[in-house]
Amino acid sequence: MSEPVKTSVPFEPILTKYINEPNAHTIEHFLARGGYEVARAHVGVTDPATLVGIVKDSGLRGRGGAGFPTGMKWGFLAKGTGKPAYLAVNGDESEPGTHKDRHILEKDPHQLLEGVILTCWAIQSNHAFIYLRGEFILGYERLEAAVRAAKGKGFIGKGIFGTAFDLKVTVVRGAGAYICGEETGMLSSIEGGRGYPKIKPPFPAISGLFKCPTIVNNVETIANVTHIIKNGADWHKQWGTEKSPGYKIFCLSGAVKKPGVYEVPLGIRMADFIEQYGGGLVEGRAMKAVIPGGLSAPLLTPEMVENCTLDYESLASLGSMLGSGGITVLHDGVDMMSAIYNTMRFYHHESCGQCTPCREGTGWLEKLAHKHHSGHAAEGDADLLADVAKNMRGRTICVLADAAAMPMQSYLQHFRADFDARAHEPAHAARHRTARDEITPAAKRDSVLHGAPGVADVGMGNRE
Amino acid sequence: MSEIKQVNLKIDGRDVTVPADWTVIRAAHANDIDIPHYCYHKDLSIAGNCRICMVNVKGAPRPVVGCATPVAEGMEVSTMAPDAVEARKGVMEFLLINHPLDCPECDQAGECKLQDYSVDHGRDHGRFTEEKVRKSKATLGPHVKYWGSRCILCTRCVRFTDEVSGTGELGVIYRGDRSEIATFPGRALDNPLSMNTVDICPVGALVSSDFLFQSRVWHLHSNPSVCADCSVGCNTRVDLDAKDQIKRIVPRRNDAVNKEWMCDSGRLSFGYAYSDRLQKPKVHGKDATWREARRAALELLSGTNGSSVVVLVSAWNTNEAMATVKDFVSAEVAGARIVGYGNPTQQDQTFPGFTIRGDKNPNRDGLKSVLGIADADASLKALAAETAPIGTLLVVHNVPGFAMTAEFKAVLDRSENVVLLDFADGELLRYGNVAVALPTLTSFEKAGTFVNHDGLAQEFAPVMEPVTHGVPESDLFASLKQDARAATVSGVKA
Ligand SMILES: Cc1cc2nc3c(=O)[nH]c(=O)nc-3n(C[C@H](O)[C@H](O)[C@H](O)COP(=O)(O)O)c2cc1C
Ligand code: SF4
Ligand code: SF4
Ligand code: SF4
Ligand code: FES
């Protein structure tokens, strides 16, 4: 039943073109394919406003999750404040199901750096920070090496490309917290504090890193900049839809034959994408649901998938979101109660704990999900879940609370029968309970406070 | 300085006009409209994390937090709109799910914002039946203990140590609903302002080690006072139990003096009101009646030539006491010299949001304005440097924790007789040549006025009944004067 991908213009991968070549991460490889020429042509030459204009016209939307128009964001940067402006590149990539930035960082870091240089010239910033998720060891090493190599060539540092423009690039590593991917959480972390998101307004473009005007963009967003400036806004708009122009990297995982990272034009049918790139569902399985844009995105039923195209507006109209581009296919054998419990464990683990509804709500959702998973739920627990999720939405500093509540709401909407079936079903619990499923925060905490080596005696007051 | 313009908005149907750089909560509070709040504190930065202050703003898609939302011209705020009520109810429930609800043994009970807002904004039953998250208890410093499971993570305490004391001992550890407050490794919450964290903690998570389990707060009654421990003159509230025993002292807001802060030393220094008190008058070390003691004092004061009487007045006396001293001297011992003194001045302790004055006397300014002693220390020094014997030395003391100085000793040693007015049975009394000791009162037991380092005169009333047979200086001098008159009239001049 597979139809060919429908797109008016033929498409070849752009951002991921070289990721399978062994030495694509080296500066030699990058220079040999014309690397840094776009930056050299524009830095110190082209009016920055012109570059912002090109990115605006291209319709590029942020690839970090929210899909905010990039050029428009750049236009919001506060000017004439007497403070430096910063670029903060978000490479925290912690949204489950998402691993696209990782490929750019590990396999083609110079592509990102050229985008950083052009962006900094466009927004007139002399200092860019690139924040990496702590677990990205190889990505960190390769990016650091790339920064050193680019510095060695005079592309980063004082007077780059022989112009009067200075550019410092600082690579910062996180310590493995999902919340440090939220833009203001990331800024707090770069500042040296806990990764606590900040209240908006003020938005980072007005007052961000160290209270200075700051542009935050995702790695993939910035990697796009070079190609758009090189080829023009119209070139970018030849793919995709009116509101979602261009192409995007998707990470396909779950019950498909060929999971992987695929760069495709926006606007293609999701069903076609799964079929053509993923090779369809694994043998003998049917589709039960799809998580379309990273774990936070409300899931789609097979019927919804049929009507879905890979662009921001289609997913929004289905009550979900394109998000980070992490697509996970669940097959008909998946226990939805296990899936939602696992999902809730993640958000409970990752809530930063600042806001009451998120700090307390994520834990409550996990505990109730666990009850449904283990068959210990009582009648009314599913309604309670719905109410707790509702009480978390739109009431917090950042949208992690919503990101936790939305999947729960979508499971309740589409798989309510699965919840109800688990109320009072102890037999299921006996069959499925595993050590991993035990949520005993007290016991866990006791071991951290009293038992774990290196933790017990770090001070923190005389604790009991 | 550019002029901040005013904006007009409506809160719960009332028209209010406030500066444009205010937040909704500030505008509401300034106009006596209540918006509940935990993390918001007038003197700390905005955290916006508790989410209890949500209000409805016309045109906004969902309720917003009043503490972080700037006012705007024409804004219409409703604190009672259904969505705001609903939001607060949700937050209240979340706050309580992992809370131990151990009010019966919690020090905060009775003055706890969780209790108050539960009644006003919560629901009447709990829906959480899971295992609660348990957290640790910790001794954070010499005066402050932490009850983790009661903590609502409002970070007021953390912001206090960051912004007001500037000492930064506190932080949040762990994540999500496992978060706790802790001191940084190797640090203790031991700064001189540490107990303010107990006051601003809206729940029973931070408790004072000194007050812990001392009393249920509803058994206490409170009286306003002014701290005498240094020349700031923090406005205080003294809490006493049914036996009129002081249980704790906490700051009372006065933006011109101490905002809502005070130092630990000031709030803990009330023990002197109860220990080592001079209970009764003494003549040559023996208990005497008031009449005997006054007579003995008068003999020593008027029996000598006025020029050999020296009157020492400490900077711990009230303006009123100083004025009666002055009045008495001019009437009865004309020509006597009046010299001032005080506790030695130490370094100011300056923090980003508060200064504890090094002048450990509540009323050095009174000496200046009432008795014309511009520099008390210099006047004592000059007296000490002289050699001429002093006939009678009248000391109006009242200095708790007085450290005897060489200069003070030199003056005492030169004095034939000493008449001491003091509330304490202390070092000074035992020094030797005190002929007559007349008991006075601590500032907790009398009324008066202290003039602080800033020249601000602050009146205070007694917070409790006198613990001893002591009397206020004004009464004492009035009686002395009366006695002196009576003696002359009846011819029984001693
Ligand atoms: C909980 C949470 C986690 C996020 N994690 C990431 C992330 O890992 N990487 C990322 O680029 N954006 C992440 N975002 C989105 C960022 O806040 C921000 O919108 C994005 O970095 C902006 O870049 P863009 O406009 O180029 O997309 C996250 C947002 C939230 C609320
Ligand atoms: S919503 Fe959750 S993750 Fe976001 S700031 Fe609040 S507590 Fe932290
Ligand atoms: S200890 Fe008190 S003041 Fe500090 S965060 Fe917890 S509740 Fe707030
Ligand atoms: S600063 Fe001075 S007046 Fe204020 S509490 Fe401390 S000792 Fe008392
Ligand atoms: S008082 Fe506004 S969020 Fe806490």
Side-chain angles (χ1 to χ4, degrees), chain B residues 375-387:
Chain B
D375 183 343
D377 295 340
S379 72
L380 180 67
K381 204 169 185 170
L383 177 65
E386 294 165 15
T387 50

Side-chain angles (χ1 to χ4, degrees), chain B residues 153-174:
Chain B
L153 274 311
C154 69
T155 69
R156 275 180 166 195
C157 54
V158 177
R159 282 174 285 142
F160 179 87
T161 54
D162 282 349
E163 298 162 17
V164 181
S165 71
T167 44
E169 300 96 337
L170 296 180
V172 181
I173 55 168
Y174 310 133

Side-chain angles (χ1 to χ4, degrees), chain B residues 43-58:
Chain B
D43 301 315
L44 299 174
S45 63
I46 302 292
N49 58 29
C50 76
R51 318 306 283 182
I52 194 71
C53 66
M54 281 187 286
V55 295
N56 171 292
V57 170
K58 198 167 169 189

Side-chain angles (χ1 to χ4, degrees), chain B residues 310-315 337-342 364 367-368 371-386 407 411 414:
Chain B
V310 172
V311 184
L312 280 182
V313 183
S314 85
R337 175 164 159 201
I338 304 182
V339 171
Y341 71 99
R364 209 176 264 274
L367 285 178
K368 217 180 290 176
L371 295 174
I373 302 168
D375 183 343
D377 295 340
S379 72
L380 180 67
K381 204 169 185 170
L383 177 65
E386 294 165 15
E407 283 158 2
V411 175
R414 266 194 5 250

Side-chain angles (χ1 to χ4, degrees), chain B residues 275-291:
Chain B
S275 59
D276 298 327
R277 291 293 298 270
L278 180 57
Q279 297 290 341
K280 286 180 176 170
K282 280 185 199 293
V283 177
H284 294 297
K286 292 205 183 67
D287 282 354
T289 63
W290 266 111
R291 179 177 285 274

Side-chain angles (χ1 to χ4, degrees), chain A residues 77-349:
Chain A
L77 189 75
K79 308 234 165 44
T81 57
K83 292 178 178 176
Y86 296 117
L87 171 67
V89 181
N90 193 341
D92 191 63
E93 194 163 63
S94 320
E95 182 74 24
T98 314
H99 40 84
K100 59 188 181 67
D101 299 341
R102 173 179 178 177
H103 289 281
I104 296 175
L105 292 163
E106 289 179 356
K107 295 171 180 163
D108 203 353
H110 287 285
Q111 187 186 196
L112 171 64
L113 288 182
E114 189 169 10
V116 166
I117 295 167
L118 282 161
T119 305
C120 283
W121 173 252
I123 64 170
Q124 290 292 295
S125 162
N126 300 106
H127 197 165
F129 291 80
I130 306 176
Y131 188 89
L132 297 191
R133 157 186 186 131
E135 294 91 333
F136 282 175
I137 308 288
L138 181 63
Y140 172 67
E141 287 168 1
R142 294 233 167 126
L143 184 63
E144 277 277 292
V147 171
R148 270 198 306 276
K151 239 188 211 159
K153 298 272 184 202
F155 305 158
I156 289 173
K158 289 241 170 270
I160 62 172
F161 302 110
T163 67
F165 188 65
D166 300 337
L167 176 61
K168 195 170 165 181
V169 175
T170 307
V171 180
V172 184
R173 291 182 65 196
Y178 174 59
I179 198 55
C180 291
E182 196 282 337
E183 54 184 355
T184 55
M186 176 181 81
L187 297 179
S188 297
S189 179
I190 297 175
E191 289 167 354
R194 269 173 80 80
Y196 269 172
K198 306 173 190 218
I199 311 171
K200 290 168 263 192
F203 287 92
I206 307 299
S207 176
L209 192 57
F210 303 111
K211 296 202 162 68
C212 298
T214 304
I215 292 297
V216 178
N217 274 130
N218 170 258
V219 165
E220 184 187 351
T221 312
I222 295 296
N224 264 305
V225 169
T226 313
H227 303 284
I228 289 171
I229 288 177
K230 180 180 174 196
N231 300 304
D234 289 339
W235 168 85
H236 185 249
K237 286 192 283 196
Q238 64 184 316
W239 297 289
T241 68
E242 192 197 333
K243 291 200 174 127
S244 307
Y247 43 88
K248 165 144 186 48
I249 310 175
F250 289 91
C251 315
L252 183 57
S253 63
V256 292
K257 289 203 185 92
K258 289 191 298 169
V261 175
Y262 302 107
E263 187 178 354
V264 298
L266 288 163
I268 65 169
R269 290 186 63 231
M270 180 182 268
D272 293 345
F273 173 72
I274 293 171
E275 202 55 42
Q276 299 224 324
Y277 290 85
L281 270 277
V282 289
E283 224 36 65
R285 285 295 181 190
M287 182 190 286
K288 190 168 200 174
V290 170
I291 301 168
L295 196 63
S296 313
L299 46 68
L300 308 179
T301 59
E303 303 76 61
M304 293 161 89
V305 170
E306 277 305 310
N307 295 323
C308 176
T309 52
L310 294 182
D311 51 71
Y312 296 97
E313 55 279 20
S314 167
L315 278 144
S317 74
L318 290 166
S320 187
M321 54 191 197
L322 188 71
S324 58
I327 300 178
T328 307
V329 179
L330 309 185
H331 65 67
D332 53 359
V334 169
D335 173 3
M336 295 313 275
M337 293 302 97
S338 176
I340 189 64
Y341 167 51
N342 203 25
T343 305
M344 292 303 109
R345 279 177 66 215
F346 175 75
Y347 293 103
H348 180 204
H349 189 258

